[in-house]
Amino acid sequence: MTTKKIAFIGLGNMGGGMAANQAKAGHAVAAFDLSQAALDRAKGAGCMPVASVAEAVKDADIVITMLPAGPHVLKVYSEQIIGAAPTSALLLDCSTIDVDTARKVAGLAKEAGYAFADAPVSGGTMAADAGTLAFMVGCDEADFARIEAALEPMSRATFRAGDHGAGQAAKICNNMILGITMLGTCEAIGLAEKLGLDPVKMFDIVSKSSGQSWSTTTYYPWPGPVPTAPSNRNYDGGFATTMMLKDLKLAQDAAAKSGASTPLGAQTEALFQMFDGMGYGGRDFSAILQMLRGKLEELPKT
């Protein structure tokens, strides 16, 4: 393996683990975040903290960003990365943002002579820490092999969804499915409980039947059957409700702009908006089970 100089911008719940896996793979990772605590964690994971985006990218082979939303991505790329990083650098934005902004940033990067990809992820914080994320990539086809190699230390699967913006489109569609299936799983568990069926027995049946989904077999929202699920930690960690709500809003915005009909997506967004508004935005999104069960008194607010 050839050691690469990697600039990693954004060391939050996802980015911290992702940067650590690049360092673990033997790359030289210059890491930047506005949080000193995040920089300290990155240093402990083998990265080199730096004082600015410009310092991180100045001689990078690969630039990876993991930022909160579209405006942050556009600002960081247009004002701090493009023109500061060498044009030979591969630019990879792993944030989840709207398709239009992803395409705008891609246009700016391409015009300046860079190879760029939108490469949002699926898998949550556990996969980010383990290096087992799934990446959905929007890029020029000729750049994909290089992109796949750059993402490999953080990835269990990397897909080229299509041209620029397609990675974001795939991500928001995927997470709309996730939100809807989790909500359906939680509703079914609540109904099963009211009908006198043990939710653990419900798992045994559904995980082998036609109601099976990732929300059941990998992330079951009732404690016990899936030991790694956040339901066993009082819904601490995992994929925060605020992040699921963000993705559902992106999906609804995209549906409105494209004229797509997404009534289940709209209803799911409304219910997660309610749950977030009640003060549970920091809890894993599967904690919405407790709202549906009428058991919010058992769930500490965040």
Side-chain angles (χ1 to χ4, degrees):
M1 181 199 74
T2 304
T3 299
K4 298 288 187 183
K5 293 180 179 178
I6 296 177
F8 207 108
I9 315 301
L11 305 168
N13 291 336
M14 296 292 291
M18 293 164 68
N21 279 308
Q22 291 286 359
K24 192 182 299 181
H27 298 304
V29 181
F32 176 74
D33 194 277
L34 295 175
S35 163
Q36 185 59 49
L39 289 171
D40 292 343
R41 287 192 295 270
K43 184 177 182 179
C47 302
M48 181 182 71
V50 295
S52 67
V53 172
E55 185 179 350
V57 306
K58 64 181 178 182
D59 57 356
D61 298 309
I62 301 165
V63 177
I64 302 172
T65 52
M66 194 62 166
L67 301 168
H72 305 93
V73 173
L74 180 58
K75 183 177 178 66
V76 168
Y77 274 91
S78 64
E79 297 180 10
Q80 298 178 72
I81 294 176
I82 294 172
T87 54
S88 58
L90 176 63
L91 309 183
L92 304 175
D93 180 42
C94 297
S95 320
T96 298
I97 63 172
D98 61 286
V99 174
D100 289 345
T101 298
R103 289 176 176 157
K104 183 172 184 177
V105 173
L108 292 172
K110 200 166 183 179
E111 189 178 304
Y114 296 89
F116 174 87
D118 51 289
V121 305
S122 176
T125 55
M126 290 177 62
D129 292 342
T132 56
L133 292 164
F135 287 83
M136 292 155 263
V137 179
C139 66
D140 289 338
E141 190 169 7
D143 294 327
F144 181 64
R146 184 182 171 199
I147 292 163
E148 188 173 25
L151 296 174
E152 193 277 332
M154 308 178 291
S155 168
R156 65 171 171 81
T158 301
F159 306 94
R160 181 176 181 266
D163 293 333
H164 294 111
Q168 298 297 346
K171 171 63 186 289
I172 61 176
C173 291
N174 178 79
N175 276 24
M176 186 172 73
I177 293 171
L178 175 60
I180 291 169
T181 56
M182 179 56 76
L183 199 57
T185 300
C186 291
E187 287 188 355
I189 289 171
L191 174 60
E193 184 184 22
K194 290 288 188 183
L195 296 175
L197 179 62
D198 180 358
V200 175
K201 181 60 68 176
M202 176 76 172
F203 169 84
D204 294 338
I205 296 167
V206 173
S207 63
K208 300 292 191 298
S209 302
S210 56
Q212 185 274 331
S213 70
W214 188 92
S215 294
T216 300
T217 55
T218 304
Y219 220 77
Y220 199 58
W222 187 276
V226 180
T228 56
S231 53
N232 296 289
R233 306 186 298 274
N234 206 18
Y235 307 97
D236 189 29
F239 186 41
T241 293
T242 52
M243 301 307 293
M244 171 52 79
L245 181 59
K246 169 195 164 185
D247 291 355
L248 290 168
K249 287 181 179 296
L250 287 171
Q252 288 308 295
D253 288 346
K257 289 176 181 176
S258 64
S261 177
T262 57
L264 287 178
Q267 192 63 44
T268 301
E269 182 206 346
L271 286 166
F272 276 103
Q273 181 71 69
M274 181 188 302
F275 188 50
D276 178 67
M278 295 169 77
Y280 298 97
R283 292 286 164 196
D284 182 78
F285 79 113
S286 64
I288 200 168
L289 171 65
Q290 301 297 64
M291 183 181 84
L292 296 172
R293 292 176 66 226
K295 299 288 186 179
L296 285 177
E297 73 278 1
E298 299 177 6
L299 187 66
K301 292 185 179 182
T302 54

